[in-house]
Amino acid sequence: MSFFIESDNSPKQLPPQTLAFMGDTVYDLLVRDYIISEANRPVGELNRRKVKYVNCESQAKSAEFIMDTLTETEVSVYKRGRNANVKTVPKNACAADYHSATGLEALFGYLYLNGENDRIKELFSKCIEAVNTAT
């Protein structure tokens, strides 16, 4: 992944919700890339498979699975995202999973904005492993 727009914003200075906003997109794109790499399928089936990976429960499991492999900085970013003050939680999610998923998204947003693409790939492969072994 590379930047299309150059910015002087330091990821360390951005609010956790902003990091999660970016990380949500990064994570979703990685999942879509992973799913289409498996096999060519109709779009409806691709979307059903995507939902297996991109939901609060799966992302919370992924966060727990990778936690012991994170650096101190990464744990700090994750916790900032997890502890962010969110106004609403989706009806189909428990609050704890939603907060953990937000932390994971903040981490992926931080890594992306920091240009740490190899680390993103490494952590994402562990996230896929976590979801695939849980089902």
Side-chain angles (χ1 to χ4, degrees):
M1 288 187 217
S2 62
F3 297 110
F4 291 105
I5 299 171
E6 295 297 323
S7 174
D8 292 335
N9 289 333
S10 168
K12 291 180 181 178
Q13 303 298 327
L14 294 173
Q17 294 95 333
T18 302
L19 296 174
F21 174 78
M22 179 57 80
D24 177 56
T25 299
V26 170
Y27 196 82
D28 188 71
L29 180 61
L30 290 166
V31 167
R32 288 170 186 251
D33 189 40
Y34 169 73
I35 290 169
I36 64 167
S37 73
E38 289 184 312
N40 188 13
R41 295 181 168 91
V43 173
E45 187 176 337
L46 290 172
N47 192 56
R48 280 188 295 281
R49 292 185 57 79
K50 178 190 77 110
V51 171
K52 173 183 173 183
Y53 300 95
V54 183
N55 65 68
C56 294
E57 184 180 356
S58 292
Q59 288 177 293
K61 285 178 185 169
S62 294
E64 184 180 332
F65 190 78
I66 66 169
M67 194 57 57
D68 63 343
T69 66
L70 300 181
T71 66
E72 282 185 42
T73 300
E74 291 167 347
V75 169
S76 175
V77 170
Y78 167 79
K79 287 181 178 180
R80 281 181 54 218
R82 183 195 64 196
N83 296 335
N85 186 14
V86 294
K87 304 230 186 270
T88 60
V89 174
K91 292 178 191 175
N92 61 344
C94 76
D97 285 352
Y98 184 74
H99 287 282
S100 290
T102 303
L104 183 71
E105 291 169 351
L107 175 60
F108 273 82
Y110 173 83
L111 293 172
Y112 173 77
L113 293 171
N114 235 17
E116 298 183 43
N117 297 332
D118 289 339
R119 185 63 171 153
I120 290 171
K121 290 176 188 176
E122 179 183 339
L123 292 177
F124 181 72
S125 68
K126 291 180 184 301
C127 291
I128 292 298
E129 180 184 346
V131 176
N132 286 343
T133 56
T135 56

